[in-house]
Amino acid sequence: MNSFPTIHIRGTGGYLPERVMTNQELSQLVDTSDEWIRSRSGIACRHLAAADECTSDLATHAARQALDDAGITAADLDALVVATTTPDLIFPSTASIVQSRLKVAGFPCWDIQAVCSGFVYALAQLEGMMRAGMFRRVLLIGAETMSGILDWQDRGTCVLFGDGAGAVVLEAGEDDGCGLMRSVLHCDGSYRELLMARHARCQRAPNTKNMPALEIDAAGVSAIQMRGNEVFRVAVNKLGEVVQEVMQVNGVAQQDIDWLIPHQANIRILRATAKKLQLPEERMVVTVDRHANTSAASVPLALNEAARDGRLQRGQLLLLEAFAGGFAWGANMLRWSRD
Ligand code: UT7
């Protein structure tokens, strides 16, 4: 191996909880309709974790599938990272819980928090660390139980999210023309109040003094608060910019892109990004209709689905992107390494 290896995705996995909640069912809980949810967001249903199912449970299922797919065991790993906004505990990390569930120990584990952009951020972070030679094989999981931080009486948010986990096995190897390319990441914290959930301690934080008083649940967490319309406008704008930027830093033209694998927040946002790229909709991987917004899990779940159903072919150019609370957004580019 040369001193700067190329980082490849060797395996993928995914897990969705058994329980499916339809829009119809939601319309019995809040003042909404299947027609409104489908036409405004593209969502038809979402999976919800059972009462005793934690983020680490979903993550462990997806992890096992990705390890099997890569033909390795957890003992072969050098690090494990979980991108999540809904960790089991404040600490220790969900990654350390998954490590112990996989019955291994010793290698480093940590969580990364960039909300819906967590997977895209983590992929960029790990690519840099692995290229520098720190790790050879890493398991990266995006996992969320968003249902636990929703206000089920707020129709503006509860209809939009779902639970799930997706995972990839990353491996440093030879440069064979495939693998991860350069990523771009951004954040603008001045938008933080448009999309947030607070911990009880944040009631005292001066930077939230303009926010309305919150009901904090028994676990000390407030539900997601979102000014959807404003988030929508900035998301479309910033995603349009970031896909151009990631193409530019990688010296790639629009017509070279084979697949757009976007964060799945709203079909109208996905379509706006595809349009910006002049990419036919069939070249975009869509799961939002069945999964809703699973935050950090949505990109790896979409990637796993397209890998397993045979859409992704070795050498094809993939563009991954996400937009999140913060606001934090970014994009990754890669050539698919698997046959
Ligand atoms: O994951 C990353 C970040 N999240 C996002 O990217 C989400 C971004 N935002 C969105 O996807 C969209 O803004 C929404 C799907 C949240 C809303 O769509 P919209 O077209 O922006 O609708 P709106 O917020 O402008 O609301 C239109 C109307 C309002 O009624 P009035 O004031 O016009 O009478 C809302 O009260 O729709 C009403 N409304 C609903 N009606 C039925 C809001 N939620 C619902 C609902 N069912 N669930």
Side-chain angles (χ1 to χ4, degrees):
M1 192 185 299
N2 64 31
S3 54
F4 292 108
T6 302
I7 313 309
H8 301 277
I9 293 179
R10 295 296 191 207
T12 67
Y15 178 76
L16 292 157
E18 229 172 87
R19 161 108 161 88
V20 175
M21 186 188 248
T22 61
N23 292 345
Q24 184 59 36
E25 208 181 331
L26 257 175
S27 69
Q28 284 151 24
L29 286 180
V30 284
D31 181 15
T32 189
S33 65
D34 179 49
E35 197 284 325
W36 191 95
I37 302 171
R38 276 180 202 261
S39 62
R40 298 295 177 118
S41 70
I43 297 165
C45 61
R46 71 287 292 142
H47 291 252
L48 300 181
D52 59 354
E53 237 177 349
C54 297
T55 295
S56 65
D57 296 314
L58 277 51
T60 304
H61 284 297
R64 290 204 174 104
Q65 203 181 69
L67 290 168
D68 280 353
D69 193 37
I72 63 167
T73 70
D76 298 316
L77 294 173
D78 302 313
L80 189 160
V81 175
V82 175
T84 187
T85 316
T86 48
D88 290 12
L89 303 164
I90 293 174
F91 71 85
S93 67
T94 302
S96 65
I97 298 168
V98 174
Q99 185 197 44
S100 92
R101 299 279 303 277
L102 294 173
K103 302 196 181 344
V104 283
F107 58 76
C109 297
W110 67 94
D111 288 358
I112 184 162
Q113 204 325 23
V115 212
C116 304
S117 294
F119 183 85
V120 166
Y121 261 57
L123 202 57
Q125 180 189 46
L126 287 169
E127 197 262 346
M129 295 175 92
M130 294 174 79
R131 261 175 76 80
M134 279 189 78
F135 312 114
R136 176 148 182 260
R137 287 196 182 115
V138 179
L139 181 60
L140 168 58
I141 310 163
E144 302 277 16
T145 45
M146 300 303 282
S147 56
I149 58 165
L150 289 171
D151 174 354
W152 288 95
Q153 289 171 350
D154 175 13
R155 67 177 185 173
T157 51
C158 75
V159 304
L160 300 173
F161 294 89
D163 301 335
V168 294
V169 171
L170 301 172
E171 188 179 66
E174 295 296 328
D175 180 3
D176 58 2
C178 293
L180 297 184
M181 297 155 74
R182 288 182 61 186
S183 298
V184 288
L185 303 177
H186 292 284
C187 183
D188 183 344
S190 66
Y191 288 108
R192 64 190 176 278
E193 291 179 2
L194 296 188
L195 177 53
M196 65 190 295
R198 278 190 270 177
H199 181 261
R201 280 178 56 87
C202 305
Q203 291 283 49
R204 289 185 267 138
N207 60 1
T208 55
K209 64 180 183 299
N210 297 325
M211 295 294 290
L214 279 179
E215 282 183 30
I216 303 286
D217 72 9
V221 176
S222 80
I224 292 178
Q225 293 176 292
M226 177 170 73
R227 304 222 286 267
N229 204 284
E230 291 163 72
V231 177
F232 185 96
R233 279 201 303 273
V234 185
V236 168
N237 183 18
K238 295 297 181 196
L239 287 171
E241 285 172 13
V242 85
V243 293
Q244 302 292 344
E245 189 186 351
V246 78
M247 285 190 299
Q248 201 195 348
V249 299
N250 287 294
V252 158
Q254 254 164 219
Q255 60 271 22
D256 299 333
I257 294 167
D258 292 298
W259 294 104
L260 173 63
I261 307 193
H263 168 51
Q264 312 276 325
N266 185 320
I267 191 69
R268 293 185 292 141
I269 299 178
L270 272 68
R271 286 188 178 133
T273 311
K275 196 170 165 202
K276 189 93 186 170
L277 290 167
Q278 295 178 315
L279 196 75
E281 266 189 47
E282 314 82 75
R283 309 303 291 180
M284 174 168 83
V285 179
V286 178
T287 59
V288 67
D289 52 335
R290 291 156 291 129
H291 302 175
N293 181 347
T294 58
S295 186
S298 89
V299 170
L301 272 170
L303 185 72
N304 179 54
E305 187 170 291
R308 281 172 189 271
D309 68 20
R311 269 179 281 178
L312 307 184
Q313 301 292 315
R314 183 175 163 80
Q316 285 186 330
L317 190 62
L318 277 50
L319 197 169
L320 282 43
E321 47 84 340
F323 184 86
F327 292 146
W329 66 101
N332 319 111
M333 190 160 264
L334 59 111
R335 282 205 182 273
W336 191 239
S337 303
R338 309 197 59 206
D339 290 323

